[in-house]
Amino acid sequence: MMESEMASRGFYRLVLRNSVALLALGAGVGTPAASAQDGGTPERRAAEIVRKMTLEEKASQMLNTSSAIPRLHVAAYQWWSEALHGVIAEAESTNFPQPIGLAATFDTPLLHDVAKVITAEARVASDRRVAGGDRVGMMSGRDLWSPNINIFRDPRWGRGQETYGEDPFLTGRMGVAYITGIQGPDPDHPINVATPKHFAVHSGPEPTRHRTDNFASLHDLRDTYLPAFREAVVTAKAGSVMCAYTGLNGKPACANPFLLQDTLRRDWGFKGYVVSDCEAVADIYQGHKFLPTASAAAGAAVRAGMDNECSNEGFFDPDTFGRPGHYAAAVKEGKLTVAELDRAVTRLVAARIRMGTLADDGPTPTPPSMSFATRENAALALAAAEKSMVLLKNDGILPLAAAKPLRIAVVGPLADARRVLRGNYTSRDTSRLPTVLDGLRAALPNARITSALAGESLTDGDVVPQDVLQTDDGRPGLTMRTFDTANPPGPAPRSLLEKAIGIAGGKFAATPTSTVTIPNLKAEGFSSPILPRGGKIVTTGFLVPEVSGTYRLGLRGSASTLKLDGIEHVSIGLSPAISTTATLKTVRLEAGKRYSIEVTTISAGLMFAELDWQLVSPDPIADLRMAASNADVLVAVVGIDSSLESEEATQKLEGFAGGDRTSLDLPADQRRLLEAAKATGKPLVVVNMSGSAINLDWAKANANAILQAWYPGQEGGIAVGRTIAGLANPAGRLPVTFYRDVGQLPVFDDYRMANRTYRYFTGAPVYPFGYGLSYTRFAYGPVSARPSGRDGGYVVEADLTNTGKRAGDEVAQLYLRFPKVPGAPNIALRGFQRVALRPGERRRLRFELSPRDLSSVSPDGLIAVAPGRYTVVVGGGQPDQGLPFSTASLVLKRRTTLPN
């Protein structure tokens, strides 16, 4: 029996999707197909190419994995790539803060710069893959399925962390900054295409998203759910839009003429293409039961305005799985006309002509020499992380003096955790990321910093690092063997393994002994085909801990079993979830001892396994008290992570279900830890890490300082340390309301905006939207408001002065209170600027309000500027929240109706 092996020199992480790389694949680039058609607009050239296609060839272009048409010199292409806050499928790509943290910066120029780095790295990833001959894998194409500009209307939603928060105005402005950074200055010749998602009215619950029909009034649509998408299309000129899984007012979003025809194309003039969320077309007949057959669903989607279907099957082999046949069948059955299909395919071909990714006879790109891990990109990631920090409380204890020999005890399950930093939708290698504990030690070199282990927590589970792993023959890492079937008559061919690990810019080398070695095993994506269903990967080696203690050891992933010293330790079933929590079991491990490891992962379409662990304390409260007895101050790092709040997950844990949250409280063990910390009598600084609102009512009443750190990315641990030490002055603001509990809110699946978000909430939050403190002080002068002389707009001005003793940023926010007209919100953000000022420096602020900024939406959905008295508030947050502000009034005498 011949056997193919892989030996990794890295931590164990394997992600297989049964035929195409889920995360590290390639795409076609080149000159436009059919060079005879070089004249004319991309649309005219595309129409000529489509005219020459057969029905089956047209249908073959309708999936995210588009087939090649050799006779027309049309290359195969992959439309699916992800870049939410960094390039996915590249272990060394720059990992910026989670979008909710980027929103907390209230800094559109910063986000634009972040997007420019992401789009440059995405081009490098694409060119590398295409140069390697891979045209159909993720990150090989040039269409990035980001940003997520859904409104984070309810803190229970697991994917709210991916958004820019709860406010349509903030979300719209941040979305424009990201999209224009991704696409570049010329949307007709984009660097990459941005794809705002999920259009529209899509924000949980996750477990029912494939079948839920959401109701939203015209008021709520045009006031809350649609404005950010309008900005993305009208202002930013996004080249693509993704339609959602969910239904809206009786029709699935991807077959919804109101959304895709009336709103997107008629009202907003959208000229790009619409892609479905993955399996959303199948949901039309399988989940929503809206239509009876696959061909009927395909026909309805295209007629409504969808142009490209994302299909998980399309990642395997679209010709084998037959999904494109649904489109040909729809035409043959009279459910779709040839002209309607041509319209969709022409849009896709025109988009590829604009990007130069259509032809199979164009020049193959030279693999770029650019490295992802540049100092400049890391510096930008650090700046973004620092600017995302939100100081919620400070009684004067912060910043901790860097020159003073303080004794600091750092506690909490996230104090020395790495996975929590990176957020979701990223392949970033976490094994070397500096933690908050590392960041504090770097920022406070003169302090004596100790740490106390936490007990078992829901957030446990960092990837096991390469330093403590050995292959069967004693090298760093683990040894992998793949087999064609679960009960193998023989091994998988070595050629498939070479495809499987040909990732991350070719970071592998074949040895003379048919063993393939990877510096870091990050097989997060594989070229087609890899293993048939029923195949398996067996990974073996040794775990050699450097520290004796109580560990939680186990797996994160799907369809895998871990044996420790030959005995089954944990087993996990098949999971469709993109992000899963770790399944861990407690075990005592001794330093220097070799423990045999065997992980068997079965192919069932998706293969995913990761070896995780956490060193924990058997008596965390006693350890905390011991650490506190020798400390001047306690820093407790608590929160949740992006696998607990996540996309459509299977876990059901205390406070979490199906990816969503059922409670706003911290996990129970963390609440006990904070109470024990308070009981020591030592000053307490709480650092919370989360992608959504946490009930911080106890901390507000009992801690001396609270810092909201989000999921701050690769430099997040350093950023937290620098902020606590005063090397960075916090100025972030909350992009969401921090409520006390879910009882303050309507039921989760009610999409009416009444009593939701700061604009309509009638209760008392723990911390309001827009709130955040600084280590310095600011003052606002009188506000003036005058007509701009253009289209009924206004110019608002005010002086801002740094009255404190430190340099710092201020996020100046402009809010409007509206006349008493039906449908108007309580208050609404209509402008913001992040301004850096030296001590004593004064700056004149200028805001321009357009008629749309002055408008509100009537109950029947009419957008208009109403006559009456408006209050303009300019300040560091909402008025009457303990932050400085100044106001003025303006009176409008006539009503102006605006287009949708």
Side-chain angles (χ1 to χ4, degrees):
M1 178 184 297
M2 295 180 60
E3 189 173 70
S4 297
E5 299 181 342
M6 288 187 286
S8 103
R9 294 187 182 277
F11 59 80
Y12 174 53
R13 178 168 174 78
L14 168 66
V15 181
L16 283 167
R17 202 177 271 277
N18 205 15
S19 65
V20 183
L22 174 61
L23 300 173
L25 310 179
V29 301
T31 58
S35 58
Q37 317 303 328
D38 283 346
T41 65
E43 285 74 19
R44 287 180 180 176
R45 289 155 57 190
E48 181 62 20
I49 294 168
V50 173
R51 185 183 64 81
K52 297 178 180 180
M53 293 182 185
T54 66
L55 175 61
E56 287 70 23
E57 287 170 340
K58 294 171 186 176
S60 74
Q61 303 303 295
M62 291 298 294
L63 296 190
N64 57 284
T65 307
S66 294
S67 299
I69 308 176
R71 70 181 187 86
L72 297 179
H73 299 288
V74 172
Y77 190 68
Q78 181 56 253
W79 295 90
W80 186 356
S81 292
E82 303 281 359
L84 185 68
H85 56 119
V87 174
I88 204 167
E90 291 284 355
E92 300 304 324
S93 62
T94 307
N95 175 222
F96 293 100
Q98 192 77 356
I100 194 68
L102 292 170
T105 69
F106 277 67
D107 192 334
T108 52
L110 172 73
L111 181 56
H112 186 76
D113 288 343
V114 166
K116 286 165 65 176
V117 168
I118 292 172
T119 207
E121 292 190 350
R123 283 295 293 266
V124 171
S126 173
D127 288 351
R128 281 179 175 174
R129 285 158 174 76
V130 173
D134 190 352
R135 293 178 178 267
V136 292
M138 187 174 288
M139 294 315 307
S140 61
R142 302 242 298 274
D143 303 83
L144 307 180
W145 290 357
S146 304
N148 184 337
I149 55 172
N150 291 128
I151 298 303
F152 198 178
R153 66 184 176 89
D154 192 301
R156 285 167 283 198
W157 186 34
R159 298 187 70 182
Q161 59 181 303
E162 301 173 22
T163 75
Y164 299 126
E166 70 182 38
D167 182 68
F169 183 86
L170 175 64
T171 298
R173 293 299 171 90
M174 299 302 273
V176 167
Y178 177 92
I179 292 164
T180 55
I182 290 294
Q183 296 191 159
D186 183 1
D188 287 331
H189 299 89
I191 302 168
N192 293 292
V193 170
T195 305
K197 60 185 182 184
H198 309 82
F199 191 60
V201 195
H202 178 83
S203 51
E206 281 295 300
T208 59
R209 65 183 185 172
H210 296 286
R211 62 181 186 274
T212 295
D213 181 36
N214 297 323
F215 170 80
S217 67
L218 277 176
H219 170 271
D220 287 346
L221 283 167
R222 292 171 178 161
D223 175 73
T224 297
Y225 295 115
L226 297 181
F229 285 98
R230 188 183 191 278
E231 282 287 288
V233 170
V234 175
T235 303
K237 308 296 183 185
S240 174
V241 169
M242 177 183 286
C243 54
Y245 290 118
T246 46
L248 173 64
N249 296 340
K251 293 186 177 181
C254 288
N256 195 305
F258 169 80
L259 287 175
L260 303 185
Q261 294 177 14
D262 300 347
T263 301
L264 189 61
R265 296 196 183 274
R266 184 196 67 193
D267 293 348
W268 299 346
F270 179 63
K271 303 299 183 186
Y273 73 89
V274 174
V275 62
S276 80
D277 207 339
C278 296
E279 302 304 326
V281 175
D283 287 344
I284 293 172
Y285 69 98
Q286 291 178 339
H288 294 287
K289 310 295 185 184
F290 183 70
L291 291 168
T293 65
S295 58
V302 175
R303 286 199 313 275
M306 186 217 71
D307 307 301
N308 185 252
E309 177 189 351
C310 177
S311 166
N312 293 330
E313 291 181 355
F315 248 143
F316 303 152
D317 183 344
D319 298 320
T320 298
F321 281 80
R323 184 67 65 83
H326 301 335
Y327 294 91
V331 172
K332 294 174 182 177
E333 295 168 6
K335 297 179 173 67
L336 183 66
T337 67
V338 171
E340 289 167 332
L341 181 61
D342 286 356
R343 179 187 63 190
V345 179
T346 299
R347 287 170 181 160
L348 298 175
V349 172
R352 292 181 62 183
I353 289 173
R354 284 192 170 88
M355 292 184 291
T357 61
L358 183 67
D360 64 2
D361 56 356
T364 299
T366 302
S369 58
M370 170 188 168
S371 170
F372 292 108
T374 67
R375 291 183 179 180
E376 294 80 7
N377 292 356
L380 183 61
L382 176 59
E386 289 179 351
K387 288 189 172 186
S388 74
M389 298 292 140
V390 183
L391 184 64
L392 294 174
K393 180 181 180 180
N394 187 20
D395 67 359
I397 192 172
L398 295 182
L400 300 180
K404 186 178 179 181
L406 283 172
R407 300 176 302 164
I408 304 170
V410 186
V411 301
L414 298 179
D416 203 27
R418 291 178 169 81
R419 172 177 292 279
V420 67
L421 299 170
R422 74 177 197 172
N424 74 350
Y425 273 83
T426 177
S427 306
R428 175 70 192 200
D429 175 5
T430 61
S431 63
R432 300 291 182 220
L433 296 186
T435 65
V436 171
L437 179 60
D438 296 329
L440 287 167
R441 285 172 171 158
L444 295 163
N446 296 317
R448 194 182 78 182
I449 298 177
T450 58
S451 63
L453 291 175
E456 296 184 2
S457 186
L458 295 179
T459 58
D460 286 348
D462 273 342
V463 68
V464 177
Q466 64 177 359
D467 301 6
V468 298
L469 297 174
Q470 293 181 4
T471 63
D472 295 345
D473 54 2
R475 291 175 293 158
L478 295 170
T479 302
M480 285 178 58
R481 298 174 175 86
T482 66
F483 300 92
D484 277 335
T485 61
N487 297 300
R494 181 173 184 272
S495 61
L496 299 188
L497 286 173
E498 289 179 340
K499 288 184 178 181
I501 63 170
I503 65 168
K507 295 176 78 173
F508 72 92
T511 70
T513 57
S514 297
T515 297
V516 181
T517 303
I518 323 171
N520 288 299
L521 177 58
K522 304 173 188 72
E524 303 191 50
F526 294 75
S527 299
S528 174
I530 295 301
L531 291 174
R533 292 177 183 266
K536 71 176 180 180
I537 287 184
V538 179
T539 305
T540 57
F542 296 92
L543 173 64
V544 188
E546 296 175 341
V547 177
S548 297
T550 301
Y551 287 81
R552 301 188 72 203
L553 176 68
L555 296 172
R556 187 188 304 266
S558 179
S560 299
T561 300
L562 166 64
K563 290 183 178 180
L564 183 66
D565 278 345
I567 300 174
E568 182 175 310
H569 185 68
V570 297
S571 182
I572 52 179
L574 177 66
S575 171
I578 291 174
S579 178
T580 63
T581 54
T583 299
L584 305 170
K585 185 177 179 181
T586 303
V587 62
R588 174 77 185 182
L589 300 177
E590 301 297 330
K593 182 177 178 180
R594 297 173 84 228
Y595 297 87
S596 69
I597 292 286
E598 180 182 300
V599 178
T600 300
T601 304
I602 304 299
S603 172
L606 171 70
M607 298 181 72
F608 166 47
E610 176 180 290
L611 187 62
D612 281 4
W613 70 349
Q614 191 84 29
L615 181 61
V616 297
S617 170
D619 193 348
I621 301 302
D623 288 349
L624 181 149
R625 290 169 180 158
M626 178 63 71
S629 68
N630 295 301
D632 302 308
V633 60
L634 300 182
V635 176
V637 189
V638 296
I640 54 180
D641 68 28
S642 62
S643 65
L644 290 168
E645 52 177 345
S646 66
E647 180 173 2
E648 193 182 10
T650 56
Q651 66 261 26
K652 187 170 184 180
L653 305 166
E654 180 190 2
F656 304 90
D660 294 321
R661 300 173 60 195
T662 58
S663 168
L664 304 187
D665 292 335
L666 288 168
D669 63 284
Q670 297 183 24
R671 300 198 300 270
R672 292 192 295 269
L673 178 141
L674 290 178
E675 291 168 356
K678 175 67 175 179
T680 66
K682 300 295 176 71
L684 174 62
V685 176
V686 173
V687 177
N688 182 68
M689 307 183 84
S690 65
S692 56
I694 295 287
N695 174 19
L696 295 176
D697 197 37
W698 184 94
K700 184 178 183 180
N702 291 279
N704 299 85
I706 305 171
L707 184 69
Q708 175 65 28
W710 315 105
Y711 304 136
Q714 68 180 56
E715 305 297 326
I718 299 298
V720 172
R722 286 174 52 81
T723 302
I724 288 176
L727 302 178
N729 191 346
R733 297 296 196 271
L734 293 180
V736 291
T737 302
F738 272 44
Y739 304 97
R740 183 169 289 103
D741 57 60
V742 297
Q744 292 183 291
L745 297 167
V747 294
F748 187 11
D749 58 2
D750 183 351
Y751 271 75
R752 289 175 294 184
M753 286 304 297
N755 206 39
R756 288 196 183 279
T757 77
Y758 78 98
R759 293 181 307 132
Y760 295 102
F761 185 56
T762 58
V766 178
Y767 287 108
F769 172 91
Y771 188 82
L773 304 174
S774 171
Y775 294 150
T776 190
R777 297 184 304 278
F778 296 93
Y780 289 83
V783 175
S784 68
R786 56 180 171 80
S788 65
R790 297 196 307 273
D791 303 324
Y794 271 73
V795 172
V796 175
E797 294 183 319
D799 285 339
L800 171 65
T801 305
N802 182 346
T803 60
K805 297 180 180 180
R806 287 177 175 264
D809 289 3
E810 170 72 335
V811 175
Q813 302 162 57
L814 187 155
Y815 292 90
L816 284 185
R817 291 193 187 276
F818 296 82
K820 298 295 183 180
V821 294
N826 303 325
I827 192 171
L829 182 72
R830 287 297 190 262
F832 59 90
Q833 299 176 29
R834 184 162 181 144
V835 182
L837 295 176
R838 299 184 301 273
E841 185 179 1
R842 184 174 62 186
R843 185 83 52 86
R844 186 71 171 170
L845 303 175
R846 176 187 171 93
F847 299 90
E848 293 191 5
L849 296 177
S850 69
R852 192 163 293 273
D853 294 330
L854 294 165
S855 71
S856 57
V857 182
S858 69
D860 59 357
L862 186 66
I863 305 171
V865 179
R869 181 176 298 276
Y870 292 73
T871 300
V872 182
V873 181
V874 179
Q878 294 184 56
D880 305 318
Q881 298 291 346
L883 300 174
F885 69 96
S886 188
T887 67
S889 294
L890 60 90
V891 177
L892 303 182
K893 295 185 177 180
R894 64 187 181 90
R895 180 181 182 85
T896 304
T897 301
L898 301 180
N900 296 332

